[in-house]
C-alpha cells in the first residue's frame, strides 16, 4: 500500500491506496504554523491506516515550495525560503520520519519528496489531461501559480525545481501604473498579478465574485496567454493542462487560447498547436486530489525503481 502527503499552503491532505487513483482513506487538516504538530498528525493517520489496511511501503511527499527535492543535497526534504510562518527551512522529511518512529512505524520507509505541483503534474500525466503525451506541462492557478513539466515521463527538476509562476510577463502600461502586484519577492511577476490573491487585491473582490463580463477576466486571459507564450517557447511541451480555482474559472481557457495563438504569431509551427489548440491547452482533469494522488505516485516510483 502506498501513502501520500500533499502539504499545501493552506491545508495538508494525506491518503493511502493500493492503486493511487483509487483512495482507500483520506484526511485533511489545516497546514497551520506548527509543522511539528502537522507531521505528528500525518504519522498518526498513517499508523491507523497501516493497522487497518495493510503495510505501507512508501510515503510520497508533495510539499509547497520553495523546497529542496534533490536527494543528494544536504537540505533534501526541507521547505526552504517560504514566507509561511513556522515552516521556513523546516526539515519536514526528517521530522516526519521521527514522528513515524514515535508511532511505531519505524520501518525506514522511503519518503520521496517533491513539490506539490510536481506531484500534481505526475497525477495529471498518468490519469488526467496529460495521458499519452511524452512531454507535458501542468499549471495550477489558484492561491499561487505553480508549474510542473514532464519530459519522457520524468519530472523536470534542474537546479532545484522550476518556479514557473515567478517568471516576468509583459503588462499593459495602464496596469503597471495602478497595480504593483502582490508577490512578496518580485511584486508583479506572473503569480504576483495573475493568481487569486492578485485578482482580489487588484479588483477589491475575489475572482469567484467577478462576473464573466468583468474586464478583470480580459486581463486575466491576457496574463495567462503571456505566461504560456513563454512556456511554449522554453519547454515546447506536447500539451499544457491548467487547473486550480482560477485556472478552471468558467470560460477562461477559451479566452486564453486565441490570445496565445495570436501572441505566438504562427512561429511555433505545429499542427497540434495551430490547428488543435482546444486539445493542446486543456483543463486539468484529475480534480482537487491531484497533489495527493501524485504523492502516492512518487511513493510507487520509489518502490518500483528499486
Ligand atoms: Zn514572484
Amino acid at each position: 500500500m502506498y501513502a501520500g502527503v500533499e502539504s499545501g499552503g493552506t491545508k495538508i491532505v494525506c491518503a493511502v491506496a493500493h492503486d493511487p487513483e483509487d483512495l482507500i482513506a483520506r484526511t485533511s487538516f489545516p497546514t497551520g504554523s506548527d509543522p511539528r504538530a502537522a507531521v505528528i498528525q500525518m504519522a498518526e493517520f498513517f499508523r491507523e491506516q497501516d493497522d487497518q489496511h495493510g503495510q505501507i511501503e512508501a510515503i510520497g511527499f508533495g510539499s509547497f515550495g520553495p523546497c529542496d527535492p534533490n536527494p543528494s543535497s544536504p537540505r533534501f526534504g526541507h521547505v526552504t525560503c517560504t514566507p509561511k510562518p513556522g515552516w521556513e527551512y523546516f526539515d519536514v522529511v526528517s521530522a516526519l520520519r521521527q514522528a513515524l518512529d514515535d508511532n511505531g512505524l519505524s520501518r525506514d520507509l522511503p519518503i520521496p519528496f517533491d513539490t506539490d505541483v510536481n506531484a500534481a503534474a505526475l497525477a495529471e500525466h498518468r490519469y488526467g489531461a496529460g495521458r499519452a503525451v511524452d512531454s507535458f506541462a501542468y499549471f495550477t492557478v489558484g492561491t499561487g501559480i505553480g508549474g510542473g513539466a514532464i519530459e519522457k515521463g520524468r519530472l523536470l527538476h534542474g537546479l532545484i525545481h522550476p518556479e514557473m509562476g515567478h517568471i516576468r510577463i509583459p503588462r499593459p502600461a495602464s496596469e503597471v501604473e495602478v497595480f504593483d502586484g502582490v508577490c512578496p519577492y518580485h511584486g508583479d511577476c506572473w503569480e504576483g498579478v495573475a493568481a487569486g490573491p492578485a485578482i482580489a487585491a487588484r479588483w477589491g473582490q475575489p475572482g469567484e465574485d467577478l462576473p464573466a463580463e468583468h474586464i478583470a477576466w480580459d486581463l486575466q486571459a491576457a496574463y495567462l496567454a503571456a505566461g504560456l507564450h513563454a512556456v511554449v517557447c522554453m519547454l515546447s511541451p506536447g500539451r499544457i493542462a491548467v487547473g486550480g480555482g482560477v485556472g478552471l474559472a468558467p470560460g477562461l481557457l477559451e479566452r486564453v487560447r486565441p490570445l496565445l495563438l495570436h501572441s505566438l504569431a504562427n512561429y511555433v509551427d505545429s499542427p497540434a498547436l495551430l490547428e488543435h489548440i482546444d486539445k493542446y491547452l486543456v483543463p486539468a482533469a484529475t480534480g482537487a486530489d491531484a497533489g495527493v494522488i501524485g504523492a502516492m505516485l512518487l511513493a510507487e516510483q520509489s518502490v518500483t525503481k528499486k
Side-chain angles (χ1 to χ4, degrees), residues 101-305:
D101 283 354
D102 295 344
N103 276 273
L105 271 180
S106 48
R107 293 200 298 265
D108 203 21
L109 294 171
I111 307 180
F113 179 80
D114 212 318
T115 67
D116 53 353
V117 179
N118 271 350
L122 264 190
E124 200 60 40
H125 185 245
R126 174 82 73 93
Y127 301 118
R131 275 178 299 183
V133 280
D134 257 5
S135 68
F136 173 61
Y138 164 82
F139 290 87
T140 176
V141 185
T143 53
I145 296 182
I150 288 178
E151 174 67 20
K152 299 197 186 328
R154 290 171 56 95
L155 284 165
L156 175 70
H157 285 104
L159 181 66
I160 300 173
H161 54 76
E163 283 287 6
M164 294 191 244
H166 296 267
I167 60 174
R168 299 277 183 197
I169 58 165
R171 300 177 62 208
S174 56
E175 278 300 306
V176 174
E177 268 175 36
V178 297
F179 185 55
D180 293 337
V182 298
C183 176
Y185 292 88
H186 317 114
D188 65 347
C189 66
W190 197 18
E191 174 175 301
V193 296
I199 296 172
R202 170 65 182 86
W203 303 103
Q205 51 188 323
E208 58 263 35
D209 294 345
L210 293 167
E213 65 276 11
H214 195 285
I215 189 175
W217 293 112
D218 293 329
L219 185 65
Q220 185 65 18
Y223 282 160
L224 291 187
L228 293 173
H229 176 132
V231 169
V232 169
C233 292
M234 280 192 295
L235 297 176
S236 197
R239 187 177 298 155
I240 300 173
V242 178
V246 175
L248 294 174
L252 180 58
L253 282 189
E254 286 81 352
R255 289 159 97 151
V256 175
R257 289 183 187 121
L259 296 175
L260 176 59
L261 285 179
H262 182 260
S263 180
L264 289 168
N266 293 336
Y267 185 70
V268 180
D269 188 1
S270 160
L273 182 66
L274 299 179
E275 295 166 25
H276 305 287
I277 193 165
D278 56 321
K279 294 185 179 65
Y280 180 81
L281 176 62
V282 295
T286 315
D289 277 333
V292 77
I293 291 170
M296 287 186 286
L297 289 173
L298 292 172
E300 182 189 75
Q301 286 182 350
S302 76
V303 172
T304 55
K305 272 183 187 166

Side-chain angles (χ1 to χ4, degrees), residues 2-5 13-17 23 25-27 45-46 49 292 296:
Y2 302 116
V5 180
V13 182
C14 300
V16 293
L23 306 189
R26 176 190 185 283
T27 188
F45 172 76
F46 292 135
Q49 303 314 315
V292 77
M296 287 186 286

Side-chain angles (χ1 to χ4, degrees), residues 19-32:
D19 167 2
E21 200 181 18
D22 186 13
L23 306 189
I24 295 171
R26 176 190 185 283
T27 188
S28 70
F29 48 90
T31 305

